[in-house]
């Protein structure tokens, strides 16, 4: 429980950091909950709930940005899983030393050519406040699934804070678009 609390605090304090770091913190929280409590989360269903919460708040959810965030979360989750499996497979070999060549063989190599999905993700500009809001909301949903009353309360507050951050980001984007339209 202490490790989970530290990971969630890292996530909530990550406002203003890079999108990849924020998503990395969420993946860490997700992995910790899944391994400690034996739960599995359907990311598509959770993202649908986030869209519904944003709609309840009176905003139109940015579909393209949410899809990019979801795909980034899935990629980082897959990368973490692959890394953990590789470490587990090499841990029991006697006198084995994990080296850089092994890491490059087994983990996602960023030097490889980008596929078309990656190019599409790069074309979409993700506001860090929107990424922060989505990840905090997802973390809140994950915490609400735990059988611990304190986590349910904590998760509820995180969902509200995350949806508020999403709404602020969407409102700011709409205001900027209106200003740019008036200038041109």
């Amino acid at each position: 429980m202490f490790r989970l609390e530290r990971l969630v605090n890292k996530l909530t304090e990550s406002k203003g950091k890079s999108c990849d770091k924020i998503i990395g913190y969420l993946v860490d929280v997700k992995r910790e909950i899944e391994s400690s409590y034996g739960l599995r989360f359907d990311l598509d269903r959770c993202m649908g709930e986030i869209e519904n919460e944003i709609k309840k708040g009176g905003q139109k959810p940015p579909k393209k940005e949410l899809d990019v965030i979801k795909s980034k979360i899935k990629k980082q989750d897959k990368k973490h899983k692959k890394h953990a499996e590789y470490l587990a497979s090499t841990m029991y070999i006697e006198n084995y030393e994990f080296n850089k060549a092994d890491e490059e063989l087994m983990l996602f190599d960023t030097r490889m050519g980008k596929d078309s999905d990656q190019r599409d993700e790069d074309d979409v500009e993700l506001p860090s406040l929107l990424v922060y809001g989505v990840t905090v909301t997802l973390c809140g949903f994950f915490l609400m699934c735990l059988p611990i009353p304190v986590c349910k309360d904590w998760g509820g507050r995180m969902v509200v804070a995350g949806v508020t951050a999403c709404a602020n980001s969407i409102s700011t984007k709409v205001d900027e678009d209106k200003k740019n339209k008036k200038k041109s």
Side-chain angles (χ1 to χ4, degrees), residues 25-42:
Y25 293 145
L26 174 72
V27 170
D28 290 341
V29 169
K30 180 179 180 281
R31 286 265 162 215
E32 179 67 21
I33 292 173
E34 287 180 341
S35 65
S36 297
Y37 297 95
L39 299 173
R40 296 285 175 247
F41 298 106
D42 181 13

Side-chain angles (χ1 to χ4, degrees), residues 84-160:
E85 287 173 354
Y86 181 70
L87 286 177
S89 69
T90 59
M91 188 168 34
Y92 296 108
I93 299 174
E94 189 174 321
N95 297 328
Y96 184 80
E97 292 184 24
F98 187 71
N99 59 34
K100 189 72 174 167
D102 292 331
E103 186 176 339
E104 289 175 4
L105 279 174
M106 287 303 294
L107 301 178
F108 177 73
D109 191 1
T110 56
R111 293 175 288 174
M112 296 174 84
K114 293 183 177 183
D115 57 355
S116 62
D117 291 340
Q118 183 66 29
R119 278 189 230 110
D120 291 343
E121 287 178 11
D122 291 342
D123 291 343
V124 175
E125 183 180 324
L126 289 177
S128 64
L129 186 60
L130 180 64
V131 174
Y132 175 78
V134 169
T135 55
V136 167
T137 305
L138 280 173
C139 184
F141 286 147
F142 297 161
L143 288 172
M144 288 172 65
C145 292
L146 295 178
I148 303 167
V150 173
C151 289
K152 291 185 184 300
D153 293 339
W154 195 14
R157 288 192 303 271
M158 288 186 75
V159 168
V160 170

